[in-house]
Amino acid sequence: MDIKEQIKRLKKEKNAVILAHTYQPGDIQDAADYVGDSYGLSVQASNTDADVIVFCGVRFMAETAHILSPSKKVILPAEDAGCPMADMINGDDIVKLKEKYPDYLVMCYVNSTSEIKAHSDVCCTSSNAVKIAQKLPPEKGILFVPDQHLGSYIMEQLGREMVLWDGFCPTHVRIQPEMIKQARELYPDASILIHPEAPRACRELCDQVLSTGQMVQHVKTSETMEFVIATELGLIHTLQRERPDKTYHPLFSGLLCPNMKKGSLEQIVSALEGTGGEVITLPQEIRQKAKYSLTCMLELS
Ligand code: SF4
C-alpha cells in the first residue's frame, strides 16, 4: 500500500491527528492535518477529539502539546530531534539566574524545555513576544530566556531593558548582512521577510520582521508578489501551498535546521503503529508549572 494511504488508514484507526511545523520537509507537511507554528499547532490539537497527537517537529514542541493535552497520547516520531537553542539553558542555569536577580520576572520563549517553562512567570511566542513584554509591570525587571536575538528585538521595539540569556538559534544566526544586501540587488522588486531569531544587523536590512505564522498571513494578504524568505527553508513549501501564484526566493540554500529535517513518512507510520517514536511524558509538577506560564501568556495576549 502507498505510504500516504497507510498513514491515512492508521490515523483513522487510532483516532490520531498529525501536526507538522512549517520547517518540516514538504512531504511531511503534505501528510499532516495541520501545518503551522509550534504553539498554534498544540492549541489546534488540544481542540480536537483525537486520542493521539503525532507531532512532526522537535522535542519542545511535542512537550508543549502534551502540556496542553495531558489526556492525549503525544508522540514525537523523530525521537532524537531536539532544539539546540532550547538546550542552551538548563534548570541549574535558570535557578542561578533567578538567585542573581531575585525581583525580576522570568519570560521564556516557547522554544524552551518544559523545565525552563516551569521556572518561568510567563511564556511568549515570536508573534506575541513584544505584546507580552509590554504588559509586564514597568517597575519590574525582566529576565528573557533563551534567545538573545528575540530578546534584543523586544528591547528595540519597546525601548525597555531586559537581562538576556545568551542562547541563539544556530540556523538563524547563519544569516549575514551581506546575504541580505546581495538578495536586495538580485531581487529588487521582492520584499525581504526575516524572523526575529536572526541577528539585529540582519533584521535592520529587511522589510519586515515576522514570526513564521505572521509571514504566512502577510504573504496571503499582501499585494506584493515576490518575496525573499530569511527563515528556515521549510516555510517556502507552506507559502507555495497557500499562495502558489507568488514567487519565493530562499535567502540562501543552507538555511536549514538539521533537527527539523530528521523526520520521515516511515517514522510517522512507526509512531502510529506504536513501534517507533517517543511517547512524551513529563513529571506532573513540571507539566503543571509549565502550563501556568503558558496560561499567563494567554491571559496577557
Ligand atoms: S530552527 Fe532554531 S529554534 Fe527552531 S528548532 Fe531549529 S534550532 Fe531550534
Side-chain angles (χ1 to χ4, degrees):
M1 187 193 290
D2 171 62
I3 193 156
K4 289 180 192 156
E5 286 306 313
Q6 202 180 351
I7 291 173
K8 271 190 199 156
R9 180 182 59 76
L10 282 164
K11 218 170 54 168
K12 204 168 165 193
E13 202 177 293
K14 309 282 178 179
N15 189 26
V17 67
I18 300 176
L19 313 179
H21 190 272
T22 47
Y23 295 166
Q24 287 283 296
D27 58 345
I28 293 187
Q29 293 192 34
D30 294 342
D33 297 291
Y34 301 105
V35 178
D37 61 69
S38 67
Y39 185 68
L41 287 173
S42 295
V43 172
Q44 268 176 315
S46 72
N47 290 333
T48 69
D49 61 3
D51 296 314
V52 177
I53 298 172
V54 177
F55 206 130
C56 303
V58 297
R59 179 166 297 270
F60 77 79
M61 300 178 179
E63 287 182 354
T64 305
H66 171 62
I67 292 164
L68 295 190
S69 302
S71 61
K72 300 185 198 299
K73 183 177 182 181
V74 179
I75 311 172
L76 178 66
E79 50 198 284
D80 60 340
C83 167
M85 178 169 74
D87 294 334
M88 285 177 190
I89 181 166
N90 63 31
D92 288 342
D93 295 327
I94 199 158
V95 167
K96 283 186 197 143
L97 193 64
K98 285 167 83 167
E99 280 168 3
K100 192 170 172 195
Y101 299 96
D103 297 327
Y104 281 49
L105 294 172
V106 181
M107 178 172 169
C108 74
Y109 185 22
V110 73
N111 296 22
S112 55
T113 64
S114 344
E115 190 180 12
I116 296 304
K117 289 186 181 77
H119 278 288
S120 300
D121 296 292
V122 65
C123 204
C124 72
T125 65
S126 47
S127 306
N128 66 21
V130 173
K131 194 173 172 187
I132 300 288
Q134 195 170 24
K135 291 201 175 165
L136 296 180
E139 68 280 8
K140 283 278 193 184
I142 304 174
L143 305 174
F144 187 82
V145 298
D147 183 16
Q148 60 179 291
H149 297 292
L150 178 61
S152 145
Y153 178 67
I154 299 168
M155 293 203 304
E156 291 151 33
Q157 296 303 300
L158 296 181
R160 181 173 182 173
E161 282 302 309
M162 301 194 299
V163 174
L164 307 180
W165 190 252
D166 60 1
F168 58 89
C169 165
T171 300
H172 286 92
V173 298
R174 296 182 67 198
I175 300 174
Q176 300 289 320
E178 285 312 313
M179 295 172 180
I180 316 271
K181 289 178 192 159
Q182 202 176 28
R184 189 71 81 193
E185 276 175 25
L186 275 172
Y187 311 112
D189 296 331
S191 178
I192 306 183
L193 312 184
I194 193 164
H195 196 278
E197 286 173 22
R200 179 177 188 171
C202 302
R203 293 195 308 265
E204 285 177 344
L205 297 171
C206 294
D207 297 304
Q208 302 267 353
V209 181
L210 300 168
S211 68
T212 52
Q214 288 169 332
M215 282 188 198
V216 175
Q217 269 314 108
H218 178 74
V219 163
K220 272 164 84 175
T221 54
S222 149
E223 286 180 4
T224 307
M225 294 303 288
E226 188 180 357
F227 298 90
V228 172
I229 303 300
T231 190
E232 215 276 354
L233 296 187
L235 187 76
I236 292 183
H237 186 81
T238 318
L239 297 174
Q240 278 164 341
R241 275 168 37 133
E242 293 287 344
R243 286 298 303 258
D245 54 325
K246 298 197 175 189
T247 303
Y248 310 99
H249 307 286
L251 181 69
F252 75 105
S253 59
L255 204 39
L256 295 164
C257 170
N259 281 279
M260 281 291 192
K261 304 303 182 208
K262 283 185 175 168
S264 65
L265 294 178
E266 287 75 15
Q267 282 175 328
I268 297 178
V269 170
S270 305
L272 287 167
E273 283 176 335
T275 55
E278 182 178 331
V279 177
I280 300 294
T281 53
L282 291 169
Q284 197 184 10
E285 195 193 346
I286 299 266
R287 186 172 56 72
Q288 283 173 342
K289 285 187 176 167
K291 178 143 191 215
Y292 172 82
S293 67
L294 289 165
T295 307
C296 285
M297 169 179 83
L298 275 187
E299 283 167 5
L300 293 176
S301 57

